[in-house]
Amino acid sequence: MVKIKDIANALEMFAPLPLQDDFDNAGLQIGLTDAEVTGVLLCLDVTEAVVDEAVALGCNLIVSHHPIIFKPLKRITGSTYVERCILKALANNVAIYSAHTNIDNAPGGVNYRIADILGLKNVKILVPKEDALLKLAVFVPVAHADAVRDALFAAGCGKIGNYGSCSYNLNGYGTFMAQEGCNPFCGTIGELHRENEVRIETIMPSYIKNRVIKALLDAHPYEEPAYDIYTLKNSWENVGTGVIGELPEECDEAEFLSVVKEKFAVGCVRHTPLLGRKIKRVALCGGAAGSFASAAMSAGADIYITGEARYHDLFSYAGKMTVAVIGHYESEQYTMDIFSEIISGKYPALKVLKTKVDTNPVCYL
Ligand SMILES: [Zn+2]
């Protein structure tokens, strides 16, 4: 039996909720975590037609990219489409779960998928997340260093780029004097003790801090383990906004834009004046991400592709870097494929369907 919380866990293994931006509201929107899933309907946006479709298909879970509950609600009376969707979902026992900026920012997330569809190589995060990493240093008696280190890695420490189990280990000795009432692992109460110890240093995302400290305390033999946690100014290179990569072969600007138009089925690609350059370095960010064009230019991109950009923002790039605007829905449509791969990969027998409702609110003449 697959429960709503199993699907939520599978999605959050890939795109942990703490990776979402501050303004966001990703996660379970409506429903009970212990309910059994009868089927999953995937979409970018929840509309009333999507809820109807889920009911008709026997799916009691909708997984969307955009959260249906984004701004706080004061009442649910059916006066807006959001309120009507909520009422309809509740009336039909349909749960709604959303993975939004957490899956935008995650390694292998929405922007990696867009890059993949465009055939980009050497893809990296365009704007890595700041102030999200911690350094842990812990002092462990030599015979227990391996066990503590392994426990830290199992809790999620030591990931740098594509490497795992990263640590630095320095031998030295610690001193301590146990007081009356202590129950020391080694040494004698009232006597200064010297113990050979290893200083284990490793790195972790700040959101797993509590889990790591618990693992440390469980694995460490001392009554009062000594450890330090430092905030780091390093960027988190694997996580963040947008991506930048390279085309295998440089390509004519207009030709490249035609490929983008075709691959994303865009009714109309809006772009700044063409510069007559070849395109090799491509930066992109799905959704409303026009403001990240400056990061693309700093990173030396030949072109920046996004879902939405403001008219006045585009003036800054005319003559310097091509900016192409391909539509919010169009840029993020392949997010449904990521959902499908995560859920069906873990639960192959479960019914997982993509919506057939066209929820794009933008049409082209
Ligand atoms: Zn979006």
Side-chain angles (χ1 to χ4, degrees):
M1 181 170 89
V2 183
K3 294 183 173 183
I4 304 272
K5 66 181 174 194
D6 298 323
I7 304 295
N9 287 342
L11 291 164
E12 287 166 27
M13 281 285 286
F14 182 89
L17 289 178
L19 298 189
Q20 69 184 304
D21 294 333
D22 294 341
F23 60 81
D24 203 2
N25 187 40
L28 188 62
Q29 310 278 297
I30 295 172
L32 300 174
T33 52
D34 273 328
E36 184 180 354
V37 179
T38 58
V40 187
L41 185 63
L42 311 174
C43 61
L44 275 196
D45 292 276
V46 182
T47 63
E48 286 178 87
V50 171
V51 182
D52 287 336
E53 187 187 21
V55 174
L57 292 167
C59 296
N60 69 345
L61 173 62
I62 294 172
V63 174
S64 70
H65 182 42
H66 296 131
I68 184 75
I69 303 173
F70 193 62
K71 295 178 191 151
L73 295 164
K74 288 195 171 172
R75 59 192 71 78
I76 303 174
T77 58
S79 63
T80 65
Y81 91 91
V82 170
E83 294 173 23
R84 289 191 295 276
C85 286
I86 294 168
L87 289 169
K88 190 168 270 194
L90 289 171
N92 290 283
N93 278 325
V94 172
I96 301 177
Y97 181 96
S98 306
H100 188 210
T101 51
N102 51 322
I103 204 164
D104 288 334
N105 294 336
V110 175
N111 296 307
Y112 279 87
R113 183 55 59 109
I114 299 172
D116 199 35
I117 285 160
L118 291 174
L120 302 187
K121 306 289 175 209
N122 305 322
V123 178
K124 294 186 172 64
I125 292 283
L126 180 62
V127 183
K129 204 168 173 65
E130 300 291 337
D131 301 320
L133 294 173
L134 298 173
K135 161 79 63 98
L136 169 69
V138 57
F139 306 86
V140 190
V142 174
H144 290 77
D146 287 348
V148 171
R149 198 184 304 103
D150 289 348
L152 296 176
F153 294 155
C157 289
K159 292 177 183 157
I160 301 178
N162 289 327
Y163 289 80
S165 303
C166 301
S167 71
Y168 185 77
N169 299 270
L170 188 66
N171 285 301
Y173 63 88
T175 64
F176 48 84
M177 189 190 292
Q179 310 291 319
E180 270 318 314
C182 293
N183 180 23
F185 172 73
C186 49
T188 308
I189 288 174
E191 285 179 20
L192 182 65
H193 181 75
R194 181 187 283 215
E195 181 73 21
N196 289 330
E197 292 176 347
V198 182
R199 174 191 166 102
I200 304 172
E201 285 185 36
T202 189
I203 196 167
M204 62 173 151
S206 46
Y207 74 86
I208 66 166
K209 186 176 94 173
N210 292 346
R211 179 168 94 204
V212 167
I213 291 173
K214 182 172 185 313
L216 186 163
L217 296 178
D218 287 348
H220 201 295
Y222 285 1
E223 193 175 25
E224 294 285 355
Y227 62 90
D228 302 320
I229 293 175
Y230 306 86
T231 53
L232 291 181
K233 285 295 163 193
N234 305 48
S235 307
W236 193 1
E237 301 293 333
N238 288 33
V239 168
T241 306
V243 296
I244 184 162
E246 286 161 12
L247 291 169
E249 302 281 329
E250 58 180 23
C251 176
D252 175 75
E253 267 175 316
E255 211 176 287
F256 180 66
L257 287 175
S258 302
V259 170
V260 174
K261 182 174 160 70
E262 188 209 315
K263 291 202 166 170
F264 290 83
V266 186
C268 169
V269 175
R270 295 156 61 221
H271 61 85
T272 53
L274 299 185
L275 301 171
R277 282 191 207 146
K278 296 285 185 191
I279 301 288
K280 177 82 175 165
R281 276 172 80 73
V282 179
L284 58 89
C285 187
S291 59
F292 291 97
S294 57
M297 201 156 85
S298 309
D302 300 313
I303 190 167
Y304 177 62
I305 301 166
T306 186
E308 289 184 46
R310 291 188 307 185
Y311 173 82
H312 285 289
D313 286 344
L314 297 179
F315 278 109
S316 319
Y317 306 100
K320 296 178 187 160
M321 175 186 73
T322 308
V323 180
V325 181
I326 66 169
H328 194 129
Y329 177 93
E330 289 83 346
S331 68
E332 295 182 331
Q333 61 189 300
Y334 295 105
T335 309
M336 282 187 267
D337 292 345
I338 308 178
F339 293 152
S340 175
E341 287 162 21
I342 294 169
I343 300 169
S344 295
K346 185 105 195 260
Y347 302 104
L350 191 65
K351 177 165 62 180
V352 179
L353 305 165
K354 289 180 208 163
T355 183
K356 291 201 167 62
V357 178
D358 181 1
T359 59
N360 190 355
V362 179
C363 300
Y364 302 93
L365 258 180

